[in-house]
Amino acid sequence: GTSEEVAPPVQQCFMIPKKEINVVSDMAKWKRSQAYADYMGFILTLNEGVRGKKLTCEYKVSEPIEKLVALLNTLDRWIDETPPVDQPSRFGNKAFRTWYAKLDQEAERLVATVIPKHLADAAPEVAVYLKESVGNSTRIDYGTGHEAAFAAFLCCLCKIGVLRVDDQMAIVFKVFNRYLEVMRKLQKTYRMEPAGSQGVWGLDDFQFLPFIWGSSQLIDHPSLEPRHFVDEKVVNENHKDFMFLECILFITEMKTGPFAEHSNQLWNISAVPSWSKVNQGLIRMYKAECLEKFPVIQHFKFGSLLPIQPVTS
């Protein structure tokens, strides 16, 4: 068959999960795997789905989407119930471990609230990705590998048919956006360290996907150009409509000093002439800097839904 850049995310297939879940040890094997093809296909399909659309636009919200938002609201509530503890070190508040232990215990039950009864067997495998998506409880850090686990969690829900093609906009605007809000709250509350951060040379300390999908939202915008996102006034007036600007707002809240110094990569991106060029460049960068970097992807889990087996074309 022909391989297309955008693969459909929804395969209405369901396999009983294998008991063992493997992690990646060989990068070449990972790049040739069915998991990589499905994951990247999912990211690119959503990228097309949100193109030129505002966060505030009208879109269909299905019952599974509502249930996923409720799940994320529960995680948010647990943060309020688990305040940071007094400790000598400024970073990595140990209360995160208490919060995480609760998720570790409850993840399968939470996932079961989203999955219909006849697919209940999938809950343990899908729950693995949810637990991986919030950061590491030993190191109290969070990064793009954890973000990728959340995207994989959503991809698995598509593969078993819980989420469908017409949920695309809601997946990004309602579920993923809520996930970002909860992750930002975790990062702030427990002062989490950036995982595998390249410092000033990375795109962002914690996230990557909202920059991809957020730049797609801005393609062909009548007035906002890439050079405008470094303008504080533009960000303040438009961040509720665009994920990309929401990310910029969060960075400027968290960091001090000139933008060009603390976020050099983003500063460089502001010189790119069009949003479609920004979007294409970010997809290339995501593959090279996140999906093909061993420290980021070494913890990626494989099972029956995202198999390590080579892609069958």
Side-chain angles (χ1 to χ4, degrees):
T2 58
S3 72
E4 285 178 272
E5 182 68 330
V6 181
V10 182
Q11 268 176 279
Q12 298 295 4
C13 64
F14 173 62
M15 296 160 277
I16 297 297
K18 297 186 191 72
K19 283 294 168 267
E20 81 281 355
I21 289 234
N22 304 306
V23 291
V24 69
S25 57
D26 173 354
M27 291 306 284
K29 195 175 178 186
W30 153 241
K31 283 167 68 177
R32 287 195 305 269
S33 70
Q34 188 65 51
Y36 183 92
D38 289 349
Y39 179 85
M40 217 43 232
F42 180 68
I43 300 302
L44 293 170
T45 301
L46 294 176
N47 189 55
E48 281 306 304
V50 300
R51 187 180 172 131
K53 308 276 199 316
K54 291 181 176 182
L55 286 169
T56 48
C57 74
E58 298 262 312
Y59 51 84
K60 170 183 170 281
V61 179
S62 64
E63 195 184 343
I65 294 286
E66 296 281 18
K67 287 176 175 173
L68 281 165
V69 172
L71 182 157
L72 290 165
N73 291 344
T74 300
L75 301 189
D76 191 328
R77 192 182 75 246
W78 290 349
I79 301 174
D80 297 334
E81 292 167 5
T82 318
V85 294
D86 279 338
Q87 61 176 48
S89 126
R90 194 170 140 246
F91 280 99
N93 194 284
K94 290 183 177 63
F96 175 71
R97 290 179 183 150
T98 309
W99 181 91
Y100 183 85
K102 190 155 190 177
L103 173 62
D104 195 34
Q105 208 180 340
E106 299 281 332
E108 278 188 38
R109 186 189 61 78
L110 287 174
V111 169
T113 64
V114 179
I115 293 177
K117 291 266 190 293
H118 69 282
L119 296 172
D121 287 349
E125 185 170 335
V126 176
V128 169
Y129 295 102
L130 180 65
K131 287 190 282 191
E132 291 281 316
S133 74
V134 296
N136 182 286
S137 66
T138 308
R139 295 187 302 273
I140 314 183
D141 66 4
Y142 174 94
T144 48
H146 302 110
E147 177 190 72
F150 191 75
F153 165 70
L154 296 173
C155 182
C156 287
L157 291 175
C158 282
K159 290 194 78 168
I160 61 174
V162 173
L163 296 173
R164 301 185 177 272
V165 176
D166 57 359
D167 287 318
Q168 278 176 36
M169 282 169 68
I171 289 171
V172 180
F173 292 170
K174 201 139 182 91
V175 179
F176 193 81
N177 207 40
R178 184 73 186 105
Y179 164 75
L180 284 177
E181 289 168 0
V182 178
M183 292 309 104
R184 286 173 185 141
K185 189 167 169 177
L186 278 180
Q187 289 152 21
K188 270 187 186 162
T189 306
Y190 304 122
R191 291 190 162 274
M192 296 175 79
E193 297 267 18
S197 169
Q198 301 156 311
V200 72
W201 304 112
L203 186 69
D204 177 79
D205 282 345
F206 298 109
Q207 313 295 158
F208 203 113
L209 290 173
F211 291 97
I212 294 179
W213 294 331
S215 59
S216 181
Q217 283 184 276
L218 285 154
I219 289 173
D220 298 331
H221 192 283
S223 58
L224 291 179
E225 293 170 28
R227 65 191 170 92
H228 292 125
F229 77 74
V230 291
D231 180 335
E232 203 179 324
K233 185 170 176 288
V234 170
V235 172
N236 288 334
E237 285 171 5
N238 297 282
H239 70 93
K240 286 190 167 65
D241 284 326
F242 300 105
M243 221 171 224
F244 195 102
L245 303 181
E246 198 74 72
C247 290
I248 301 296
L249 186 70
F250 184 67
I251 292 170
T252 53
E253 279 173 10
M254 298 298 278
K255 296 193 170 186
T256 53
F259 192 86
E261 285 176 23
H262 63 61
S263 301
N264 190 266
Q265 280 277 21
L266 281 167
W267 178 259
N268 292 339
I269 285 170
S270 71
V272 176
S274 72
W275 285 111
S276 60
K277 284 268 188 293
V278 169
N279 187 247
Q280 288 160 9
L282 286 174
I283 290 166
R284 279 197 303 275
M285 186 179 173
Y286 185 60
K287 288 177 181 172
E289 297 301 321
C290 297
L291 298 188
E292 292 166 19
K293 284 280 189 287
F294 186 70
V296 177
I297 222 68
Q298 64 182 332
H299 305 292
F300 197 91
K301 302 287 195 286
F302 301 91
S304 64
L305 294 170
L306 289 171
I308 189 67
Q309 279 72 29
V311 66
T312 49
S313 58

